[in-house]
Amino acid sequence: MDIEFELRPIRDSDLDALVKYADDPGVAGNLTNRFPNPYTKEDGIRFIKFAQSDGPEHIMAISVNNEFSGAIGIHPMSDIFSRNAELGYWLARPYWGKGIMTTAIKQMVKYGFDNFEIDRIFARPFGRNIASQKALEKAGFKLEARFENTIYKNRQYEDELVYAVRKSL
């Protein structure tokens, strides 16, 4: 069953919910090491300042029942990759498997193509993160590559997958 949610700018008032939901090893286990675990109030303050630092906004809150419940962001690349952007996202555990992320990805892809000079958006889920792969596929992303044992997380190797969607030219 799908749950109603909205994408919106991240607010200072999101701090408590951010720390509550981000301080979850299951969330951090599927993200880069820049996403700390445990997740402290200081980490949350740093993240909120980063998310609010430039425009157009490139990181949005996923708000369920008017509460911060995750984040999704478009991160434009530079130099020869300047027409590309990486998509990153996470969602609070209580909302996993409820249809939120696929819709959030679709909304963020539209936002990215409308607001940045990019032609391709890519995401790099871990090989074992089947839920993330399915969300990307349902949102129209295609698997472009699989790299075996390129990610080293929590003292073990993981496969890195590259999914992408392209703007209609």
Side-chain angles (χ1 to χ4, degrees), residues 5 7-10 56-62 71-76 85-89 100-116 118 121 139 141 165:
F5 72 94
L7 298 186
R8 61 160 174 77
I10 292 175
E57 285 156 329
H58 66 281
I59 302 172
M60 300 286 197
I62 300 171
I72 187 165
I74 291 280
H75 306 281
E86 185 170 8
L87 177 72
Y89 48 85
I100 293 172
M101 194 50 73
T102 296
T103 303
I105 291 170
K106 288 177 183 176
Q107 290 176 9
M108 201 62 176
V109 164
K110 181 181 180 337
Y111 175 84
F113 286 142
D114 288 349
N115 289 280
F116 300 97
I118 55 175
I121 297 172
F141 281 67
V165 65

Side-chain angles (χ1 to χ4, degrees), residues 11-162:
R11 305 175 186 142
D12 291 342
S13 60
D14 291 328
L15 181 61
D16 290 341
L18 166 60
V19 173
K20 174 176 79 173
Y21 290 129
D23 190 29
D24 179 341
V27 169
N30 289 309
L31 300 172
T32 69
N33 289 334
R34 290 187 334 195
F35 192 97
N37 184 257
Y39 199 98
T40 66
K41 186 174 182 176
E42 291 73 28
D43 296 321
I45 292 168
R46 253 190 314 277
F47 173 75
I48 289 171
K49 285 183 183 186
F50 172 71
Q52 296 172 338
S53 66
D54 55 317
E57 285 156 329
H58 66 281
I59 302 172
M60 300 286 197
I62 300 171
S63 180
V64 180
N65 298 323
N66 295 315
E67 180 185 46
F68 177 96
S69 301
I72 187 165
I74 291 280
H75 306 281
M77 304 284 103
S78 61
D79 198 5
I80 61 172
F81 301 105
S82 65
R83 302 295 289 193
N84 296 271
E86 185 170 8
L87 177 72
Y89 48 85
W90 68 272
L91 187 63
R93 186 184 297 263
Y95 303 109
W96 291 359
K98 303 202 184 301
I100 293 172
M101 194 50 73
T102 296
T103 303
I105 291 170
K106 288 177 183 176
Q107 290 176 9
M108 201 62 176
V109 164
K110 181 181 180 337
Y111 175 84
F113 286 142
D114 288 349
N115 289 280
F116 300 97
E117 288 189 47
I118 55 175
D119 300 315
R120 177 178 168 266
I121 297 172
F122 67 94
R124 299 181 301 158
F126 292 7
R128 66 172 161 72
N129 191 343
I130 304 301
S132 185
Q133 294 165 43
K134 287 184 188 271
L136 289 164
E137 290 167 1
K138 288 178 186 175
F141 281 67
K142 304 284 186 237
L143 179 63
E144 291 186 341
R146 179 183 200 105
F147 301 100
E148 292 183 11
N149 298 319
T150 57
I151 295 169
Y152 189 70
K153 176 82 176 179
N154 295 332
R155 294 192 258 173
Q156 66 182 22
Y157 287 97
E158 302 276 352
D159 290 354
E160 172 189 11
L161 279 63
V162 178

